Amino acid sequence: MSWLRALKEAGRSGLKIERRRLEPLIAVRAAVGLALVIALALAISTPAAAASSAFGAYSAAIATFQRSWRPRPVLALVSGASLAVSTFVGYLVGTQGALFIVLLAVWTFLAGLAWAAGPTAGIIASSNVAIMLVTVTLPTSVANAAAHAGMIALGGLVQAALIVLFPVRRWGAQRDALADALAAEADYARRLRQDPHAPFDAIPFMTARSAAAVSARQARRRPAELHGTRGLAERIRPVLASLADPSVGAPAEGPERDRAREILAAAASVLDASAHAIRHGKPMVVPAPALATLRTPDTGAILTGPAHRSAVRLIALLRDVVETARGAGTTTDQPEPDEPAAPLLRPSLTRLLPVAARAMRREATRPDSPIHRHALRVAVVATVGYLLGEVLPLGHGYWAPMAAVMIMRPDFSQTYSRAIARFGGTLVGVALATAVVQLAHPGLYLSAGLAVLCAGLMYLLMRTGYAVSQVFVAAYVVFLLGMGGLQWTQTVPDRVILTLVGGLLAMISYAVYPAWETPRLRTRLADWLIAVGRYSAEVVSHYADPAGARRSDVRQSLLAVRAADAAWHEALARAANEPVRHRGLSRAAADDAAHALDRLGRVSMLMEAHLPERSTTPVPAAEALSDALRDSTEKAARAVRDRRVPQWDEVRDALAAWDGEGVPDRVVRKGAGLVLESLEEFSEALDDEGPRPA
């Protein structure tokens, strides 16, 4: 993609406005918290202190809107406390110009590394550095700085208290995540009726799993309908695929296919009804036709072999879904054999700190990693922006580094789209705020009220687009500083020019010191190949030793496949918007190779749906195939990274030596053949690139 086209795509993305479900009650609660803090500060202190406390409450509320499954009060407290510390430390060295620049560089570098702990940590850290640049200019003494820091922390405390006292839709995010997973599976069942090889997006299941991780206290208070249902949905997905696939399920045509379509339609109806009940916390109402289809006794007379086994298992799992959603009690809370009974526990923040520190230290020692490069970029840009702001004949020079820090992200497309959106939103926001100031001439309290109103609108609309949120952020800052006595002529021109400067610095920095995803596509593809190869090997090994194999190993390998799959598609999406030519992996080859790995994962999933019971006769030949899959995919991954075509002689030999004795049915033997076909298809996709064989 050329630079001109990349800029056009970034501009289109940054200025895009999306229709999202609004949460007015949460926005009102956040705005009320901001208003309470400002009112309290004005009553007991100066407008400058009110501005400091406003920034604390404002950033704490923004932190609670980030995508995180942690309790929102915790996010508000962490944001307010960290900003208070940043402000106080920044003021202590603020009078020492050179020392403050060093502090700013180090502080910003650490904030960039915080992305290693996750996007929520990165966003909170970046916001704190940006707002610190404003708040350190407000105090006039050390005691005054301590008071300001206390007011900032108070802002976070007030927001946290309001969340506790006035909760809005408890467990709402977790309900939505689980309901989305069930709805995605219902859609999958419907698509399987027409296309037995329909693809499945595992992202909703990954999100639901993240949402299911709770603290020990939350585990005791979690609603009953959030127990067990996700595990059921996970077990239903391979059964749906195995019933629909003609290779191991119902034949492509005939009465068995018609019966399979009826069961798939009924499954979709049950899953949709369960999703609706869980999302809204209401009793589940299952459509009568779906129940009638699942209770029809002639299923055994129509379906035979693996198809009949899949149908029976699917009906039993759907019955458990209904009982769980209705809260009638079910066996679904019982774990699979060899799997732990405890819920997914999320570590507390105190236990998470060492983990985050290790992740940041690991990224700091990897100069070529995107996180490390982002940390260096943002540190240099913040320092250069601060120096430019001091040199330029404008006031409020901190706006240039503040804009740059808020804009910059570890990848190209987000950085450029946010730069364009921030400047566009700032222009509109300051224009609207200036018009209001010119017409109304607001005083202290009216300026405070307008600032709160703008913040409330920002909270309400922030998820509809970055440009929209920046309109109200710009207006909020104008009114907030006007509350302290600054005229719009002292703030608006400076903010527009310095925002442009900060955005340009952010964009130039990525062009000069990029972290392109395109050259790393082969590494991402190799990681995905290893993960799906291990998953396939774990499934096959169960047929070799049904009594000794552990289902939890299959589960863990499946989770690794999903993570690698998601990482590949995210990298591919980022690479598509980069102004970089492909290096050894064209888009066509990437698509074909991904299709082959999707097929390999699907075949493994079909075999997983028919994993043998512990008492089943072992299949010794499956062990050789399992070992060959592990070894071959490791070697093939190295070949992919070295731009060579993988070879599958070990898998081919293991399959040729399989005599088929002891195989309980056609599923595993036929699936093993499809595994080899998928691997050969993967090699053919990369062979089109023209490298030499491995």
Side-chain angles (χ1 to χ4, degrees), residues 381-402:
V381 167
T383 304
V384 172
Y386 183 82
L387 293 175
L388 279 177
E390 292 294 308
V391 171
L392 292 174
L394 299 170
H396 309 91
Y398 52 79
W399 270 329
M402 181 181 72

Side-chain angles (χ1 to χ4, degrees), residues 527-582:
D527 294 341
W528 187 14
L529 173 62
I530 290 176
V532 74
R534 288 174 179 170
Y535 171 49
S536 183
E538 287 292 345
V539 172
V540 172
S541 68
H542 269 66
Y543 290 88
D545 184 16
R550 297 190 305 172
R551 289 178 182 259
S552 58
D553 294 337
V554 174
R555 175 65 179 159
Q556 292 303 315
S557 61
L558 175 59
L559 295 177
V561 170
R562 289 180 178 173
D565 186 353
W568 161 257
H569 284 94
E570 290 175 3
L572 193 64
R574 288 195 293 267
N577 295 321
E578 293 177 347
V580 182
R581 294 183 61 187
H582 79 83

Side-chain angles (χ1 to χ4, degrees), residues 216-239:
R217 181 173 180 270
Q218 286 178 314
R220 296 190 295 268
R221 298 168 177 262
R222 184 168 49 176
E225 58 268 29
L226 298 185
H227 287 269
T229 308
R230 182 185 58 83
L232 278 173
E234 293 276 9
R235 291 155 60 189
I236 286 173
R237 185 214 166 183
V239 180

Side-chain angles (χ1 to χ4, degrees), residues 590-604:
D591 291 342
D592 291 343
H595 179 269
L597 292 185
D598 278 330
R599 186 187 179 203
L600 176 58
R602 177 185 173 81
V603 171
S604 305

Side-chain angles (χ1 to χ4, degrees), residues 326-663:
R326 287 177 172 173
T330 179
T331 60
T332 56
D333 284 337
Q334 299 299 320
E336 291 273 7
D338 302 320
E339 289 187 354
L344 298 173
L345 292 179
R346 179 184 296 112
S348 63
L349 283 179
T350 54
R351 292 186 177 181
L352 191 63
L353 286 176
V355 177
R358 286 194 297 269
M360 293 171 64
R361 185 169 61 250
R362 184 171 60 250
E363 292 295 332
T365 59
R366 297 171 54 198
D368 291 334
S369 75
I371 299 297
H372 184 98
R373 285 179 166 249
H374 168 69
L376 282 178
R377 275 196 307 270
V378 73
V380 171
V381 167
T383 304
V384 172
Y386 183 82
L387 293 175
L388 279 177
E390 292 294 308
V391 171
L392 292 174
L394 299 170
H396 309 91
Y398 52 79
W399 270 329
M402 181 181 72
V405 170
M406 293 300 294
I407 286 169
M408 296 178 73
R409 291 293 184 266
D411 66 277
F412 165 82
S413 58
Q414 283 198 55
T415 297
Y416 273 61
S417 63
R418 289 171 67 88
I420 296 170
R422 189 174 185 93
F423 183 68
T426 299
L427 280 179
V428 176
V430 296
L432 293 175
T434 301
V436 172
V437 170
Q438 289 282 72
L439 293 174
H441 302 288
L444 174 62
Y445 294 103
L446 182 55
S447 294
L450 290 172
V452 171
L453 175 62
C454 290
L457 291 173
M458 191 280 297
Y459 296 141
L460 179 65
L461 302 173
M462 65 183 301
R463 289 178 178 169
T464 63
Y466 189 66
V468 175
S469 67
Q470 290 310 300
V471 171
F472 298 106
V473 169
Y476 166 77
V477 173
V478 171
F479 292 129
L480 191 67
L481 296 181
M483 184 181 71
L486 293 178
Q487 300 298 318
W488 71 269
T489 53
Q490 298 174 275
T491 58
V492 169
D494 300 349
R495 181 168 176 80
V496 172
I497 295 173
L498 292 173
T499 297
L500 177 60
V501 171
L504 290 175
L505 286 175
M507 297 170 78
I508 292 172
S509 70
Y510 209 105
V512 173
Y513 190 60
W516 303 126
E517 196 67 52
T518 301
R520 286 190 288 270
L521 286 180
R522 277 186 169 269
T523 300
R524 301 284 190 183
L525 188 63
D527 294 341
W528 187 14
L529 173 62
I530 290 176
V532 74
R534 288 174 179 170
Y535 171 49
S536 183
E538 287 292 345
V539 172
V540 172
S541 68
H542 269 66
Y543 290 88
D545 184 16
R550 297 190 305 172
R551 289 178 182 259
S552 58
D553 294 337
V554 174
R555 175 65 179 159
Q556 292 303 315
S557 61
L558 175 59
L559 295 177
V561 170
R562 289 180 178 173
D565 186 353
W568 161 257
H569 284 94
E570 290 175 3
L572 193 64
R574 288 195 293 267
N577 295 321
E578 293 177 347
V580 182
R581 294 183 61 187
H582 79 83
R583 301 179 185 179
L585 191 65
S586 67
R587 185 58 184 263
D591 291 342
D592 291 343
H595 179 269
L597 292 185
D598 278 330
R599 186 187 179 203
L600 176 58
R602 177 185 173 81
V603 171
S604 305
M605 181 184 65
L606 295 177
M607 292 190 291
E608 181 193 353
H610 295 274
L611 286 181
E613 301 294 335
R614 292 183 178 276
S615 59
T616 305
T617 303
V619 182
E623 185 64 32
L625 178 61
S626 176
D627 293 339
L629 282 171
R630 288 190 179 90
D631 294 340
S632 296
T633 48
E634 292 282 352
K635 295 176 182 177
R638 290 194 293 271
V640 171
R641 295 188 184 100
D642 295 338
R643 302 185 181 183
R644 294 180 285 123
V645 179
Q647 301 297 307
W648 308 103
D649 295 335
E650 293 181 47
V651 178
R652 193 176 293 106
D653 293 342
L655 199 56
W658 191 328
D659 58 12
E661 292 182 3
V663 179

Side-chain angles (χ1 to χ4, degrees), residues 188 192 237-250 306-307 309-311 602 605-607 609-610:
Y188 179 58
L192 286 174
R237 185 214 166 183
V239 180
L240 290 172
S242 65
L243 175 62
D245 196 293
S247 301
V248 297
R309 187 163 64 247
S310 296
R602 177 185 173 81
M605 181 184 65
L606 295 177
M607 292 190 291
H610 295 274

